[in-house]
């Protein structure tokens, strides 16, 4: 058991810390344009290209182009890696 004083100290110490690698992940994502970032965020939420197109009011071909450009810019090979990078950055 921990005393309330010790619990408060632990919370104060660790509450403000961000996950390891979050800053690096955010830096990697910063190379994306605003629209690419929106598409990447939607991919990270598990949306399909068709769903992303409907949500962001763009054609499915345009979504595919944004996904492909984002993968290339980020040096990734698939959507799962993209979603993990967004998670690592602490973004939703």
């Amino acid at each position: 058991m921990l005393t309330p004083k010790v619990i408060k100290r632990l919370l104060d110490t660790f509450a403000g810390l961000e996950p390891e690698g979050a800053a690096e992940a955010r830096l990697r994502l910063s190379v994306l344009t605003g629209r690419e970032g929106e598409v990447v965020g939607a991919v990270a939420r598990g949306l399909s290209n068709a769903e992303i197109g409907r949500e962001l009011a763009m054609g499915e071909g345009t979504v595919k182009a944004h996904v492909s450009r984002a993968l290339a810019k980020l040096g990734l090979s698939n959507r799962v890696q993209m979603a993990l990078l967004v998670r690592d950055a602490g973004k939703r």
Side-chain angles (χ1 to χ4, degrees):
M1 270 205 143
L2 299 174
T3 66
K5 185 177 180 179
V6 171
I7 292 172
K8 182 180 180 336
R9 244 174 116 191
L10 284 170
L11 289 174
D12 289 345
T13 300
F14 293 106
L17 298 179
E18 66 181 10
E20 185 177 330
E24 180 184 339
R26 282 194 302 275
L27 182 62
R28 287 184 67 193
L29 289 169
S30 72
V31 303
L32 302 175
T33 66
R35 200 60 158 167
E36 289 167 347
E38 290 175 325
V39 170
V40 167
V43 167
R45 292 190 341 260
L47 300 182
S48 68
N49 289 343
E51 292 168 328
I52 294 168
R54 283 192 298 277
E55 184 175 293
L56 299 178
M58 64 175 72
E60 198 169 338
T62 303
V63 173
K64 289 178 185 179
H66 283 305
V67 170
S68 294
R69 279 195 300 274
L71 287 169
K73 283 183 177 182
L74 297 170
L76 303 173
S77 58
N78 61 61
R79 294 166 75 102
V80 173
Q81 291 174 328
M82 186 181 285
L84 290 173
L85 182 62
V86 171
R87 184 214 53 200
D88 291 347
K91 299 191 183 273
R92 303 258 178 242

